[in-house]
Amino acid sequence: MNQSNTEHILASFEEALRESRNSVLRMASVAQQNLEHAITGLLSRNSELCNQAIADDDEVNSYEKSIDGEGLKTLMRFSPVATDLRQVLAAMKIANNLERISDEAGSIARRARKIGKQAEVAETRMMEPLYEMAAELLRDGIRAYAESDVSLAMSLYELDQKLDKAHRKTIKELTKAMEQDPENLKVYLHLIFVVRCLERIGDHAVNIGEESVFVESATDIRHVGADALKEFSSE
Amino acid sequence: MNLTSLLPIAMQKETIKSSAQQDESVGAEVSVSADVAESPAGRPDYIKVCDFSFNYVPAVRVLHNITMEIPERQVTAFIGPSGCGKTTLLRNFNRMNDLIDGVSHEGKIYVNDQDIYDRNLEVISLRKRIGMVFQKSNPFPKSIYENVIYSLRVSGQKKKAILDETVERSLKSAALWEETKDRLHDSALGLSGGQMQRLCIARAIANRPEILLMDEPCSALDPIATAKIEELITELKENFTVVIVTHNMQQATRVSDRAAYFYLGKLVEMDDTTKLFSNPEQKETEDYISGRFG
């Protein structure tokens, strides 16, 4: 690692990089909150929280556009290189992942509103452990970015595998429930989509971790396979 | 980290296909010396600098133990703050520094495996093999035609066919033929700044050198003229080994294959340009290229 903690000669460049990082962190906090509202709305059958999660998605969308716009401006004005360039690119890509996460939260909230109008089924509780894993992945992905923590980013793969496994298992159980309780088929179907949204959120969180690794180590660990990842982790 | 499979895409060495490859007429116009033509493919090192130190006066050492290899027919950029020694090293390649009183050196510089400080080497013959373009264009107060063939005239060439062929070939290689073919006998001083600099490049390559040294060739030019010279550099590397000193980081990333960062007379780091500008090994390099220097 040869990254510098020396400030740029151009204070405006330093400020642009700092602001882009801060905007990503603010955006992440709104996306996290939207997810929390959506799941709480689902579990507590609270349509107000669901509405809030859907409405607040607009804020996340605005953040994405603003981070992209500022990133473009930074590329144009300062022609960053090395770590600075990776930081600008990562901010834009992380913003894109956060926007998708918030979209997934919005989808969960929409499903939750519909589920809330139907009879309550015990299987709704199955979403809780999946949400916890997805939320942890998101939290750690953001922390890895904020604290430049490569090992934390690398640890996301393991947790994401657990989430994938839980996702497959839950879908199996929900399919079984559909067969046993066809009256509530619609609810189970909505829940299957919720499970899928949570699994996608895990994937986006992993993407955020990968971008953090790219910023810190200039290494692209996307799609490299398990062996190469293992080798990288041991470096 | 030694994981080639994990190297970022930006660090993967790009093969820059110059427009000279697309326009074979340009490449065909410039033939290369027998030595270069016989060099095996794979870009062997053409200039080798071995533990080279240089002093302007005995007490002032401006280059410290430089060791580097410059590959054949690629563009190598020297970057670094003012006074770091990049121009001094460049001017050693054709022994221009010999003209300054009191200079001395240690170590060796080889051009195509020939020691350029060999006592038996004629400096004039070395300089014929190495063309040089300076920061400020310096056309002679003569016609465009006479500027290009100046070195041939000095060496006694009188055959009009050869002179005409040289003018056309050199101006085409310097991407100036179309603009000047109808006014070859007009004064070179009537050209624009960018055209004058391209004329100087045409003059530098008229004698079919092996190496082209460029010392901030675009620093006095506007963006359009700069773009034309940069495009030209990319074309020229098909036939010449180019070494360019530049203060413009973006220019270094655009035109060079290899880049070397100098500081206080020392070579801090030399690497593929994409690697040096995306993930330099040394913190000092990162500080300089990202504008944190000082």
Side-chain angles (χ1 to χ4, degrees):
Chain A
M1 292 306 310
N2 305 299
Q3 288 184 25
S4 185
N5 43 19
T6 315
E7 297 228 327
H8 287 91
I9 296 166
L10 276 174
S12 48
F13 187 13
E14 196 69 37
E15 181 56 30
L17 289 176
R18 197 179 302 127
E19 187 46 37
S20 131
R21 198 175 179 85
N22 289 343
S23 295
V24 169
L25 296 179
R26 284 196 296 268
M27 180 184 184
S29 125
V30 181
Q32 274 175 314
Q33 199 177 54
N34 287 354
L35 176 61
E36 194 186 325
H37 284 161
I39 286 293
T40 314
L42 170 73
L43 297 175
S44 62
R45 301 169 73 81
N46 182 337
S47 62
E48 279 308 306
L49 279 176
C50 295
N51 290 340
Q52 201 176 331
I54 293 162
D56 288 350
D57 186 38
D58 285 348
E59 194 180 347
V60 173
N61 292 344
S62 303
Y63 265 119
E64 188 195 21
K65 286 173 81 168
S66 149
I67 289 166
D68 275 0
E70 288 303 316
L72 208 64
K73 214 191 280 177
T74 305
L75 291 171
M76 190 181 68
R77 288 179 68 199
F78 305 109
S79 302
V81 293
T83 312
D84 299 334
L85 176 59
R86 295 198 297 277
Q87 263 191 33
V88 176
L89 296 178
M92 293 164 87
K93 291 172 91 172
I94 290 175
N96 179 255
N97 277 289
L98 289 171
E99 192 273 335
R100 301 289 295 277
I101 286 171
S102 186
D103 278 351
E104 301 290 355
S107 298
I108 293 172
R110 279 184 200 90
R111 302 261 173 208
R113 275 197 312 207
K114 288 175 184 164
I115 292 169
K117 288 174 188 161
Q118 310 274 331
E120 197 167 357
V121 298
E123 282 80 0
T124 309
R125 287 281 147 201
M126 285 180 176
M127 303 303 111
E128 226 171 334
L130 288 164
Y131 160 70
E132 274 162 18
M133 277 189 261
E136 190 181 341
L137 276 162
L138 178 56
R139 200 169 45 242
D140 286 353
I142 294 301
R143 232 181 76 207
Y145 171 68
E147 295 169 12
S148 311
D149 190 337
V150 172
S151 348
L152 182 61
M154 294 302 295
S155 73
L156 299 184
Y157 286 110
E158 203 181 326
L159 186 53
D160 187 47
Q161 277 176 356
K162 280 186 193 162
L163 175 59
D164 288 349
K165 203 172 163 189
H167 155 253
R168 285 193 296 271
K169 187 172 166 241
T170 312
I171 290 209
K172 222 178 253 177
E173 286 173 20
L174 287 169
T175 314
K176 208 164 149 192
M178 282 164 91
E179 289 165 7
Q180 288 167 354
D181 181 16
E183 256 183 43
N184 289 316
L185 193 128
K186 267 189 179 173
V187 179
Y188 296 125
L189 208 56
H190 284 310
L191 287 176
I192 284 176
F193 277 109
V194 170
V195 173
R196 195 175 146 69
C197 288
L198 290 169
E199 189 270 332
R200 291 295 302 139
I201 287 170
D203 290 344
H204 288 301
V206 169
N207 293 349
I208 292 171
E210 288 171 340
E211 291 305 324
S212 313
V213 172
F214 181 60
V215 173
E216 295 311 313
S217 67
T219 307
D220 188 349
I221 56 167
R222 295 171 303 167
H223 320 298
V224 293
D227 290 345
L229 276 178
K230 210 171 167 185
E231 200 180 335
F232 174 72
S233 297
S234 64
E235 290 284 323
Chain B
M1 201 168 294
N2 184 23
L3 284 174
T4 42
S5 61
L6 289 173
L7 287 176
I9 295 162
M11 285 160 50
Q12 305 289 338
K13 194 169 173 224
E14 288 173 29
T15 305
I16 302 167
K17 290 191 175 171
S18 77
S19 51
Q21 279 176 306
Q22 293 151 20
D23 180 2
E24 289 183 359
S25 64
V26 175
E29 293 299 328
V30 183
S31 62
V32 291
S33 74
D35 285 341
V36 175
E38 285 166 12
S39 295
R43 305 291 187 254
D45 299 327
Y46 205 69
I47 303 174
K48 284 183 191 170
V49 182
C50 305
D51 203 18
F52 186 79
S53 299
F54 187 81
N55 312 300
Y56 271 123
V57 287
V60 183
R61 176 158 287 201
V62 289
L63 290 175
H64 302 262
N65 309 94
I66 307 287
T67 294
M68 70 192 321
E69 289 91 32
I70 292 173
E72 180 194 30
R73 278 185 271 168
Q74 291 213 327
V75 180
T76 301
F78 287 180
I79 58 169
S82 297
C84 70
K86 49 196 190 301
T87 294
T88 301
L89 181 61
L90 192 80
R91 292 163 69 98
N92 268 299
F93 292 156
N94 63 356
R95 288 185 54 181
M96 273 184 72
N97 289 329
D98 290 10
L99 306 170
I100 301 165
D101 288 338
V103 295
S104 61
H105 75 275
E106 291 156 30
K108 304 269 189 193
I109 296 177
Y110 297 94
V111 170
N112 199 14
D113 291 331
Q114 183 171 33
D115 180 358
I116 66 164
Y117 283 99
D118 189 325
R119 284 171 192 275
N120 298 321
L121 178 83
E122 272 185 49
V123 178
I124 301 292
S125 72
L126 173 74
R127 291 187 188 142
K128 275 186 183 171
R129 294 165 58 195
I130 304 176
M132 187 148 186
V133 178
F134 298 88
Q135 186 173 357
K136 206 173 163 207
S137 58
N138 50 359
F140 302 134
K142 291 171 174 287
S143 68
I144 295 166
Y145 186 96
E146 286 299 325
N147 261 277
V148 177
I149 55 155
Y150 191 80
S151 61
L152 279 78
R153 287 253 194 250
V154 169
S155 59
Q157 183 56 259
K158 287 180 183 159
K159 287 184 182 165
K160 190 171 181 307
I162 292 177
L163 297 177
D164 286 351
E165 184 276 328
T166 302
V167 169
E168 187 172 342
R169 167 178 56 79
S170 306
L171 288 174
K172 276 185 174 168
S173 297
L176 194 58
W177 175 249
E178 288 304 318
E179 293 160 66
T180 57
K181 64 182 178 189
D182 298 324
R183 49 174 176 143
L184 292 174
H185 297 287
D186 288 1
S187 169
L189 303 180
L191 296 171
S192 70
Q195 286 173 326
M196 281 191 202
Q197 191 64 306
R198 277 182 283 150
L199 177 64
C200 292
I201 293 172
R203 192 176 62 193
I205 60 180
N207 225 3
R208 301 179 193 272
E210 299 154 30
I211 296 165
L212 196 55
L213 306 177
M214 305 180 112
D215 191 359
E216 296 184 57
C218 302
S219 62
L221 303 180
D222 68 28
I224 303 286
T226 298
K228 285 183 180 170
I229 300 278
E230 288 182 4
E231 179 66 13
L232 180 56
I233 292 170
T234 309
E235 288 175 13
L236 289 171
K237 76 170 184 181
E238 290 299 305
N239 299 292
F240 305 99
T241 299
V242 181
V243 186
I244 179 172
V245 166
T246 181
H247 277 294
N248 183 332
M249 299 294 117
Q250 278 68 51
Q251 181 170 72
T253 57
R254 283 192 297 264
V255 303
S256 69
D257 303 291
R258 302 269 297 165
Y261 170 58
F262 292 87
Y263 182 55
L264 295 176
K266 290 177 182 164
L267 174 64
V268 177
E269 185 169 355
M270 182 173 188
D271 214 325
D272 286 348
T273 300
T274 43
K275 167 78 168 64
L276 192 122
F277 280 91
S278 60
N279 188 25
E281 294 289 331
Q282 304 298 325
K283 180 184 173 295
E284 297 95 305
T285 312
E286 170 121 15
D287 279 353
Y288 180 72
I289 61 171
S290 60
R292 289 186 172 91
F293 189 78

